[in-house]
Amino acid sequence: MQQPGQPAAASPRADRPDTPSPDSATASLRSAAPAPGLTAQRRTSLLVTLVLGGLTALPALSMDMYLPALPEVTDALHSSAATAQLTLTACLMGMALGQLVVGPMSDKWGRRRPLLTGMVIYIVATAICAFAPSAGLLIAFRLLQGLAGSAGIVIARAVVRDLYDGIAMARFFSTLMLISGVAPIAAPVIGGQILRFTDWRGVFVVLTVIGTLLTLVVWRWLGETLPPQRRHAGGLGQTLRTMRGLLADRVFTGYMLAGGFTFAALFAYVAGSSFVVQEIYGASPQTFSLLFGLNSIGLVVTGQLNGRVLVGRVSMDKVLTVGLVVITAAAAALLVLSSGVFGKAGLVPVAGSLFVLMSAMGLAMPNTNAQALNRTPHAAGSASALLGTSTFLLGAVASPLVGIAGETTAVPMAVVQLSCALAAMTCFMGLCRPWQRRTKQSTTVA
């Protein structure tokens, strides 16, 4: 039986109609053949799914498990609320910037070595956070925690690109949403339960244990997916040229920005929904938790509909278009409701608009990732880094804008979400131009 680290014969790539032809400006970058699948990895696809799902869920666990402990951190370290918030910002920025480093490293040295190195550093940084004596030291090691934890995010996407292509890749991304979609729901609950038995430092102890177990699982069961002949030998200069070539690809950049702005609308929801639902519409924390959970379930269910029913039967670009249109319509409805154009709206229609908006994310996000990575078999790590960094940076910009107009209206959240949705649609239509590529494909087939 073949061992996990050995390359196998290339899997059939019959599902290529959605993959665009390369532009002449980047044709030289795509001269390499698509990365082959690995037979042993595909045979253990359930285990691989769980491992990659755990890696993509780690950022949500690192961020959201810690949220219930913020007031306690403020008191324990004698810091201001703004300083405590910086511990979240540092982790988020670390996850965004770290991907730019780890992604190209994984194209040069393979997936396992940078992933395992990053996970070990994550464990050490998280353990130090548990014993941090001051807010400044906690912020510093939260930044290091984010930088190291980014290895799991970026390499998980690159591994999916190594193993799958086209429709199969879109389906796998949708399957990952089962795990990564549950993490934001479960993480605050887990964090709250931890605080019943210990203080905020216990949250980092639990994260250290989770990181250790996940590292052991990766070391034991996730084999190398990038064979030596597919790796890049260049240094920093080659990395910068590769990324410049990726960004010069108009269609790749279109998918990257469309996915980033879509995720920014999601970040705006995460940042503002608690305040909107509880403070403006007077819902209890229990009601907010129920609505938050329902919205997350809607996203996961729609993601499964995308992966198991639509992909392979309907063009990914068509599904993506529907998702972006629904997100835009839901954000517009939320803006109309919150602005009081037709009178004061209650919680039910506002919650309904948020549910539709969140559910449509399951049609958009997996397909932007899949379509972007379809164009980059030669540099999946670098492409994944650009996708992840743009996502986190746009989300970090969108989140604080939600509260820009004070505490009496939900209009800012709706404006941010609608602006992000319109930007995503503009980037998709203006840069990807899916109708042109469908015309070219039809001409080729004829």
Side-chain angles (χ1 to χ4, degrees):
M1 183 175 177
Q2 189 180 18
Q3 296 301 313
Q6 296 175 340
S11 59
R13 300 293 174 95
D15 49 1
R16 299 287 295 195
D18 279 323
T19 304
S21 300
D23 297 325
S24 58
T26 53
S28 61
L29 286 175
R30 296 191 200 99
S31 59
L38 300 183
T39 301
Q41 299 281 23
R42 298 291 279 273
R43 289 174 182 169
T44 57
S45 58
L46 177 59
L47 180 59
V48 172
T49 301
L50 293 175
V51 173
L52 298 183
L55 293 173
T56 56
L58 191 61
L61 294 176
S62 300
M63 297 289 291
D64 296 348
M65 277 179 62
Y66 177 67
L67 292 178
L70 276 177
E72 187 177 331
V73 171
T74 301
D75 295 336
L77 298 181
H78 308 290
S79 63
S80 65
T83 301
Q85 288 286 344
L86 283 177
T87 64
L88 292 175
T89 303
C91 186
L92 181 63
M93 294 302 294
M95 289 178 180
L97 299 177
Q99 295 183 63
L100 290 176
V101 177
V102 178
M105 287 173 59
S106 74
D107 284 336
K108 181 177 181 180
W109 293 316
R111 311 304 184 202
R112 275 177 60 90
R113 195 192 311 178
L115 177 57
L116 289 171
T117 301
M119 291 301 297
V120 169
I121 297 174
Y122 173 89
I123 293 169
V124 174
T126 306
I128 294 176
C129 286
F131 299 98
S134 67
L137 192 61
L138 180 60
I139 291 171
F141 279 95
R142 282 286 276 175
L143 176 64
L144 181 60
Q145 182 193 40
L147 289 169
S150 68
I153 314 171
V154 66
I155 292 179
R157 276 194 301 264
V159 168
V160 173
R161 182 61 187 91
D162 293 339
L163 295 175
Y164 300 97
D165 193 13
I167 292 170
M169 180 165 52
R171 285 175 174 161
F172 197 94
F173 276 127
S174 295
T175 302
L176 284 183
M177 294 186 71
L178 278 172
I179 301 174
S180 58
V182 170
I185 308 173
V189 177
I190 295 172
Q193 294 303 308
I194 292 172
L195 293 177
R196 293 181 60 186
F197 301 99
T198 182
D199 61 5
W200 64 272
R201 299 181 187 276
V203 174
F204 288 107
V205 172
V206 173
L207 284 173
T208 302
V209 173
I210 292 174
T212 301
L213 293 176
L214 190 54
T215 302
L216 292 175
V217 170
V218 168
W219 176 76
R220 176 63 180 84
W221 282 292
L222 186 63
E224 179 58 64
T225 60
L226 186 67
Q229 64 270 23
R230 297 285 295 143
R231 299 176 189 176
H232 295 176
L236 178 61
Q238 176 63 35
T239 296
L240 294 177
R241 285 191 294 272
T242 298
M243 288 191 170
R244 185 171 63 247
L246 291 171
L247 293 174
D249 180 353
R250 169 178 52 79
V251 179
F252 171 83
T253 301
Y255 285 121
M256 179 188 74
L257 292 176
F261 280 115
T262 301
F263 203 77
L266 174 61
F267 262 66
Y269 161 79
V270 172
S273 59
S274 175
F275 165 73
V276 168
V277 172
Q278 295 183 78
E279 299 297 326
I280 296 178
Y281 291 96
S284 66
Q286 291 74 25
T287 300
F288 166 71
S289 299
L290 175 63
L291 293 176
F292 192 92
L294 287 175
N295 290 342
S296 298
I297 291 171
L299 188 153
V300 170
V301 170
T302 309
Q304 296 312 294
L305 174 68
N306 173 73
R308 298 182 181 276
V309 178
L310 298 178
V311 172
R313 294 178 175 87
V314 183
S315 163
M316 279 188 277
D317 280 338
K318 290 182 179 179
V319 177
L320 176 55
T321 301
V322 171
L324 292 177
V325 168
V326 173
I327 291 171
T328 303
L334 182 63
L335 178 58
V336 170
L337 290 170
S338 59
S339 62
V341 173
F342 300 108
K344 184 175 175 59
L347 177 60
V348 172
V350 170
S353 299
L354 287 172
F355 177 80
V356 173
L357 186 149
M358 286 293 295
S359 297
M361 296 282 180
L363 299 177
M365 291 193 294
N367 292 320
T368 54
N369 282 334
Q371 290 288 66
L373 290 172
N374 264 335
R375 300 181 65 83
T376 60
H378 64 290
S382 296
S384 179
L386 290 173
L387 290 172
T389 299
S390 63
T391 293
F392 276 89
L393 289 180
L394 288 171
V397 171
S399 297
L401 297 178
V402 170
I404 199 170
E407 303 179 356
T408 60
T409 176
V411 169
M413 183 179 76
V415 169
V416 171
Q417 290 179 321
L418 180 58
S419 299
C420 290
L422 290 173
M425 180 66 77
T426 301
C427 292
F428 174 55
M429 291 298 180
L431 296 177
C432 299
R433 302 172 190 172
W435 65 90
Q436 291 182 349
R437 286 179 290 118
R438 281 200 296 270
T439 301
K440 290 179 181 179
Q441 289 160 9
S442 299
T443 303
T444 302
V445 172

